[in-house]
Amino acid sequence: QVQLVESGGGLVQAGGSLRLSCAASGIIFSINAMGWYRQAPGKQRELVATITRALSTNYADSVKGRFTISRDNAKNTVYLQMNNLKPEDTGVYYCNAEIFRYGETIPRDYWGQGTQVTVSS
């Protein structure tokens, strides 16, 4: 059984900062890409940022220069540092990871349960 557990969401004023964490646990052989997605009320889930095992990153245009994704491969954990938050950043943030379990040759996609981020104006 593989689980992704997020933490770090909350309520913050515009211009403030939050740091999200997501730890993968279970019988894991290796993890390819990890990432963060978000879903605002009434909208589709959208990509926020991704990071490969080799630490190559990709960001949505709306968060470039404000958000930083990082990971600790030894801890199977991905982070999202969010600075200069705006009300439009409000939503549920989901962690995603492509995980190889032992004995598997194709990675599976796993999702966390989501953590709420609310930015007040």
Side-chain angles (χ1 to χ4, degrees):
Q1 186 78 4
V2 172
Q3 283 188 318
L4 299 182
V5 179
E6 299 126 335
S7 61
L11 172 64
V12 65
Q13 288 189 330
S17 298
L18 284 174
R19 188 184 191 222
L20 306 182
S21 299
C22 172
S25 64
I27 309 301
I28 296 170
F29 177 68
S30 70
I31 303 177
N32 281 353
M34 303 184 81
W36 291 94
Y37 294 72
R38 68 186 180 190
Q39 188 166 18
K43 294 188 176 181
Q44 289 189 330
R45 190 174 298 188
E46 63 176 2
L47 179 146
V48 176
T50 61
I51 184 168
T52 68
R53 186 169 183 83
L55 308 183
S56 176
T57 59
N58 178 53
Y59 295 92
D61 288 343
S62 60
V63 306
K64 284 180 181 177
R66 300 188 298 121
F67 291 10
T68 302
I69 189 170
S70 60
R71 66 189 280 176
D72 184 332
N73 289 331
K75 295 182 179 179
N76 290 336
T77 300
V78 62
Y79 307 95
L80 186 68
Q81 177 66 43
M82 305 185 292
N83 298 328
N84 190 22
L85 282 159
K86 303 176 180 181
E88 51 263 43
D89 294 318
T90 294
V92 179
Y93 282 68
Y94 296 92
C95 172
N96 171 264
E98 296 175 352
I99 296 175
F100 283 96
R101 297 188 301 177
Y102 282 95
E104 293 182 344
T105 57
I106 299 174
R108 298 188 188 203
D109 230 16
Y110 291 88
W111 292 89
Q113 80 285 356
T115 185
Q116 178 70 43
V117 171
T118 303
V119 184
S120 63
S121 57

